[in-house]
C-alpha cells in the first residue's frame, strides 16, 4: 500500500497505448484517495483574529511562486498564501492578509461569500483571475477580477446570475464553480437553496467569464448517492482522461438540508445531468477529525508543481461550536494495471460490505408545540430525549426546525447531543456540539444541523438528550413545522481503516 503523501511519478493522465500488465500510478481526481487518519488532516486557518471566529469555503489558485487562497469569514472574502517551496499542510507556512476582507464587506457589496476562483492560466506568473462570489444581500452572483501580481486587489466587473433565474421557489445562492467546456463555453455550477430549504445544484452557461450566465438544467439529481440523500451541492469540477470529474458535498436523511460528507462522480460531457457516482455511492471524504463534527464540505483541490495533489475542505470544530476551519490533506494516488480493456485498481482498498451507514428505520422525534428557552447554560430541550439501542458502532443525529429569534440580530443559540459512549470498555458521558445559529431580526430561520456520535455502546440502551443554550441575546424560540424534529440513524463501521471513528478531543 502506498503511503501519504503521494510520491512521483504519479500522473493524472493515463499512459498512451498501454500493453497488458502495464501499471500506472494515477493521480486523477477519480482515483485519488484521502487518508482516513485525522492526523493527516491539517487545519490551515486561524480564528479570533481580524477575520472573526469562523472561516471556511476555500477558493484556491496557483501562480509561479505560491499557493493562493480566498476564504469566507464574516461578511467577506479574506486572503492568505503559502510559498510553493513550503509545505502547505503547515499552518505556519501560510501568510494571512490581515488588513481587511479583499472582496465584500464594503468592496462593491455588503456581503460576499461562497466564492470560487477561475484561473485561465494556472501556474503562470501573470494574468487575470476571476472570482465568482455569492452576494447574500442582493441574492446575485457577482464576478470580480484581480491581477496575479496583486491578489489582494479585486474589482467587481459584472453580475453573473440573479436568484430569479433559478428554479421556482429558490431561496438563496450557495457555492459556485466555473469551468470551460470543450467547445469554449463557460459552465457555472451553482448551488441554491430550494423551496424546502435544501441545498441543490444546477448548471448555467455563458460565452464569456464576465457575462450573464443562463441556467440550462433544473435541479441536478444524478449526483445523489442514493435515495436517502436529500441535497447535493458545492461542486468542484475538472476534466481528465476524456471525462469530467465532480467532487461535491451531500446531505442525507429525512430532514437533512446541510451537507455532511464529500462524494465524487464522473460524466462524459457537461451537456446534460448525466453523472455516475463513484466509490459505490459511498463517501470520498468522510468526517474523521475533531474539526469535522458537523460536516466535511466545500471541496477544492490544487496540483502542486511536484505532482502532489492537495485537497481543501471545510470542517466545523466540535470544541468551539460554529468555528469553521479550512482543512487540507495530501491525497494519495492509486496504482492501476491495464488488463487489455480498462485500467484496474491494484491497491485501492475494497469497498467494505458494512463500511458505511446501515439504516434501521430512523427514530424520529418531532417538535409538537412551540418551545421558548432562555437558559444560558446547557439545558434539555423538552420532549426531545429518548432511550435507544443503536444497532451499530456509531449513530447520526439530524435536526431541522424553524427558529424565530426575538428581533436581535446578535442573538445566538447552540445545540448539542448528550449521550453515553463506550470508551476503553466503560461508559462515559459524551457531549457533541451540533453548531450554532444566529438571530436575523425576527425573521424565521429554517435550519438543519448534524452531529455524528462515535463509539456508541453496542448491545445496550443509551440515553440521548438534545440540549440548548443561549450564548448571546435573549430567547430561543422554536416553532414546529412539517417533519421538524430530530432524526436518529445508525452506522456500522466494520472496516475502520475505511470508515474511521471521529476524534473529538
Amino acid at each position: 500500500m502506498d503511503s501519504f503523501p503521494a510520491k512521483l511519478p504519479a500522473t493524472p493522465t493515463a499512459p498512451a497505448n498501454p500493453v497488458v500488465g502495464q501499471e500506472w500510478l494515477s493521480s486523477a481526481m477519480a482515483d485519488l484517495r484521502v487518508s482516513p487518519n485525522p492526523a493527516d488532516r491539517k487545519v490551515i486557518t486561524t480564528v479570533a483574529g481580524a477575520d472573526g471566529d469562523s472561516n471556511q469555503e476555500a477558493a484556491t489558485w496557483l501562480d509561479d511562486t505560491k499557493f493562493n487562497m480566498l476564504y469566507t469569514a464574516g461578511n467577506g472574502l479574506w486572503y492568505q498564501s503559502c510559498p510553493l517551496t513550503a509545505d502547505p499542510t503547515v499552518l505556519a507556512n501560510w501568510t494571512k492578509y490581515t488588513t481587511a476582507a479583499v472582496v465584500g464587506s464594503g468592496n462593491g457589496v455588503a456581503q460576499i461569500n461562497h466564492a470560487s476562483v477561475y484561473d485561465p492560466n494556472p501556474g503562470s506568473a501573470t494574468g487575470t483571475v476571476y472570482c465568482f462570489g455569492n452576494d447574500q444581500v442582493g441574492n446575485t452572483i457577482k464576478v470580480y477580477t484581480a491581477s496575479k501580481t496583486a491578489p489582494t486587489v479585486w474589482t467587481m466587473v459584472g453580475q453573473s446570475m440573479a436568484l430569479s433565474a433559478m428554479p421556482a421557489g429558490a431561496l438563496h445562492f450557495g457555492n459556485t464553480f466555473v469551468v470551460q467546456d470543450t467547445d469554449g463555453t463557460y459552465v457555472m455550477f451553482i448551488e441554491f437553496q430550494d423551496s424546502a430549504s435544501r441545498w441543490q445544484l444546477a448548471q448555467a452557461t455563458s460565452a464569456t467569464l464576465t457575462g450573464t450566465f443562463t441556467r440550462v438544467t433544473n435541479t441536478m439529481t444524478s449526483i445523489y448517492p442514493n435515495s436517502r440523500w436529500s441535497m447535493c451541492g458545492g461542486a468542484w469540477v475538472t476534466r481528465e482522461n476524456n471525462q469530467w470529474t465532480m467532487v461535491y458535498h451531500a446531505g442525507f436523511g429525512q430532514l437533512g438540508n446541510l451537507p455532511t460528507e464529500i462524494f465524487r462522480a464522473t460524466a462524459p460531457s457537461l451537456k446534460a445531468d448525466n453523472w455516475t457516482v463513484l466509490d459505490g455511492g459511498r463517501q470520498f471524504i468522510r468526517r474523521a477529525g475533531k474539526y469535522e463534527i458537523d460536516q466535511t464540505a466545500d471541496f477544492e483541490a490544487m496540483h502542486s508543481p511536484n505532482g502532489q495533489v492537495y485537497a481543501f475542505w471545510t470542517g466545523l470544530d466540535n470544541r468551539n461550536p460554529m468555528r469553521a476551519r479550512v482543512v487540507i490533506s495530501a491525497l494519495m494516488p492509486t496504482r492501476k494495471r491495464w488488463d487489455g480493456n480498462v485500467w484496474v485498481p491494484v491497491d485501492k482498498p475494497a469497498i467494505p460490505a458494512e463500511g458505511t451507514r446501515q439504516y434501521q428505520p430512523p427514530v424520529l422525534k418531532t417538535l409538537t408545540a412551540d418551545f421558548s428557552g432562555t437558559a444560558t447554560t446547557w439545558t434539555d430541550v423538552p420532549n426531545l430525549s429518548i432511550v435507544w439501542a443503536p444497532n451499530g458502532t456509531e449513530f447520526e443525529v439530524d435536526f431541522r426546525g424553524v427558529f424565530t429569534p426575538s428581533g436581535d440580530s446578535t442573538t445566538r443559540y447552540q445545540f448539542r447531543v448528550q449521550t453515553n459512549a463506550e470508551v476503553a470498555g466503560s461508559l462515559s458521558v459524551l457531549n457533541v456540539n451540533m453548531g450554532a445559529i444566529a438571530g436575523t431580526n425576527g425573521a424565521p430561520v429554517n435550519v438543519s444541523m448534524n452531529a455524528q456520535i462515535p463509539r456508541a455502546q453496542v448491545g445496550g440502551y443509551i440515553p440521548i438528550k438534545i440540549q440548548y443554550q443561549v450564548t448571546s441575546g435573549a430567547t430561543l424560540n422554536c416553532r414546529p413545522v412539517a417533519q421538524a424534529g430530530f432524526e436518529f440513524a445508525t452506522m456500522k463501521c466494520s472496516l475502520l481503516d475505511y470508515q474511521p471513528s471521529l476524534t473529538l478531543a
Side-chain angles (χ1 to χ4, degrees), residues 73-78 100-113 135 137 144 154-156:
N75 290 332
L77 303 177
W78 293 68
V102 297
V103 178
S105 197
N107 183 0
V109 298
Q111 182 171 343
I112 287 283
N113 56 22
D135 171 10
V137 176
Y144 294 77
W154 292 84
T155 302
M156 187 169 66

Side-chain angles (χ1 to χ4, degrees), residues 390 392-395 419-422 427 453-458 462:
T393 57
E394 303 184 7
F395 65 92
T419 184
N420 287 342
E422 191 169 359
L427 290 181
I453 315 301
R455 301 184 299 275
Q457 182 189 21
V458 179
I462 61 174

Side-chain angles (χ1 to χ4, degrees), residues 4-268:
F4 286 81
K7 302 294 192 299
L8 295 177
T11 63
T13 304
N17 305 313
V19 298
V20 174
Q22 182 174 344
E23 292 192 350
W24 164 40
L25 190 57
S26 171
S27 61
M29 188 53 66
D31 296 323
L32 285 166
R33 291 171 283 157
V34 66
S35 171
N37 186 348
D40 292 321
R41 305 176 179 197
K42 307 296 186 180
V43 173
I44 56 167
T45 54
T46 57
V47 296
D51 52 352
D53 65 355
S54 180
N55 37 60
Q56 58 190 317
E57 299 163 354
T60 61
W61 73 99
L62 285 175
D63 59 32
D64 62 327
T65 62
K66 60 187 179 296
F67 301 95
N68 299 271
M69 183 174 78
L70 297 179
Y71 59 92
T72 296
N75 290 332
L77 303 177
W78 293 68
Y79 172 82
Q80 65 182 38
S81 64
C82 172
L84 292 181
T85 54
D87 182 353
T89 68
V90 176
L91 173 61
N93 291 338
W94 289 86
T95 300
K96 181 187 294 188
Y97 180 77
T98 60
T99 302
V102 297
V103 178
S105 197
N107 183 0
V109 298
Q111 182 171 343
I112 287 283
N113 56 22
H114 297 289
S116 64
V117 171
Y118 179 82
D119 182 0
N121 299 292
S124 64
T126 60
T128 299
V129 285
Y130 298 78
C131 173
F132 297 88
N134 172 1
D135 171 10
Q136 288 206 318
V137 176
N139 276 327
T140 61
I141 302 298
K142 297 291 197 298
V143 57
Y144 294 77
T145 60
S147 168
K148 285 189 173 182
T149 59
T152 61
V153 181
W154 292 84
T155 302
M156 187 169 66
V157 295
Q159 178 173 301
S160 303
M161 177 74 69
L163 190 65
S164 58
M166 301 309 290
L171 301 174
H172 302 285
F173 280 122
N175 294 337
T176 62
F177 193 79
V178 173
V179 296
Q180 188 172 29
D181 204 348
T182 54
D183 62 1
T185 301
Y186 295 99
V187 179
M188 179 183 289
F189 293 83
I190 313 172
E191 189 178 49
F192 68 97
Q193 200 170 27
D194 66 15
S195 58
S197 297
R198 295 183 300 255
W199 292 103
Q200 308 291 1
L201 198 64
Q203 284 180 214
T205 61
S206 175
T208 66
L209 286 167
T210 58
T212 299
F213 281 72
T214 301
R215 182 170 60 87
V216 294
T217 72
N218 292 314
T219 298
M220 298 172 65
T221 58
S222 67
I223 56 176
Y224 279 28
N226 57 50
S227 60
R228 295 190 183 99
W229 297 80
S230 55
M231 64 76 60
C232 290
W236 179 91
V237 181
T238 188
R239 183 168 178 80
E240 296 170 330
N241 301 303
N242 298 314
Q243 67 178 4
W244 294 94
T245 300
M246 178 196 298
V247 186
Y248 60 98
H249 53 231
F252 78 97
Q254 183 177 345
L255 306 179
N257 75 344
L258 288 180
T260 55
E261 274 129 342
I262 293 172
F263 294 78
R264 56 186 169 183
T266 57

